[in-house]
Amino acid sequence: MPLATWIKAGTSATALVLAMAGTASASPSTATATAQPGAQAAVVTLRYDDSRAAGWEAAIAAGVASWNASVTNVRLVEAAPGGAAEIVIVATSGWPQATLGPVRPGRQVRVELGSQAVNDGYNKTRIAAHELGHSLGLPDTKPGPCSQLMSGSSAGTACTSAVPNATERSRVQSYYANAFAASVVTDGRTLVDAP
């Protein structure tokens, strides 16, 4: 095999090893990976723990189902009891809020589903899907119409849509392309979704 081919193969393997090691560490990964031509895109599985979100279980399940039906290269699954989770979901008395991702396997973000929004008339399923959208890397798009999931509270209390639009779906797809998108680093800010 020519020397140039060996160097290219070694560089690709090194980048892949560094990228995989970065997903397990606390520091953001800066390596990239490319899919082989004709290969199927890998699916990133993110686990969520809603064991501290009593009263929100149905809304969380519906929000998860909405995202799982909308994107193909990232899948949200419930963590085993006591198991590790990338998305920790808790019920609070304040306004909903979440860590802005996109979260990576082995890392962790927090979603707080606040009852203040429900008390003010906002839809629980839309809240859950919206906050999960933050975990997947989407910021707020306020003000915005009901057709934008990430418009959040600016769409008003009559809005019950929990489905991401084409732009939102496309952004999440790009964040998780090729199993991870090294150029997109978890933001880490906490976004509070008060009107």
Side-chain angles (χ1 to χ4, degrees):
M1 181 181 298
L3 180 59
T5 304
W6 278 103
I7 292 172
K8 184 177 178 182
T11 302
S12 297
T14 301
L16 182 58
V17 168
L18 289 173
M20 296 306 288
T23 62
S25 70
S27 62
S29 172
T30 56
T32 60
T34 57
Q36 296 296 323
Q40 265 190 333
V43 175
V44 175
T45 299
L46 299 173
R47 298 157 297 175
Y48 67 91
D49 174 5
D50 65 355
S51 62
R52 295 183 289 157
W56 287 86
E57 297 87 352
I60 294 166
V64 165
S66 177
W67 277 109
N68 284 343
S70 298
V71 293
T72 58
N73 59 3
V74 62
R75 182 138 187 91
L76 303 175
V77 298
E78 190 168 5
E86 285 80 18
I87 304 171
V88 175
I89 307 171
V90 298
T92 69
S93 59
W95 283 99
Q97 55 186 283
T99 310
L100 181 58
V103 65
R104 298 288 176 237
R107 298 196 184 156
Q108 194 173 79
V109 294
R110 181 178 171 96
V111 168
E112 296 184 13
L113 299 176
S115 62
Q116 181 63 47
V118 177
N119 295 343
D120 282 9
Y122 293 97
N123 179 270
K124 282 179 119 174
T125 300
R126 180 172 169 85
I127 294 168
H130 175 91
E131 299 307 324
L132 288 169
H134 287 320
S135 297
L136 296 174
L138 298 177
D140 288 314
T141 55
K142 296 179 181 181
C146 184
S147 60
Q148 291 177 342
L149 177 60
M150 301 314 294
S151 68
S153 60
S154 70
T157 57
C159 180
T160 61
S161 175
V163 179
N165 68 19
T167 301
E168 294 163 334
R169 293 190 303 267
S170 177
R171 286 183 71 186
V172 170
Q173 286 285 112
S174 71
Y175 292 158
Y176 292 93
N178 302 319
F180 61 92
S183 62
V184 180
V185 177
T186 300
D187 184 292
R189 288 180 292 155
T190 298
L191 303 179
V192 179
D193 289 303

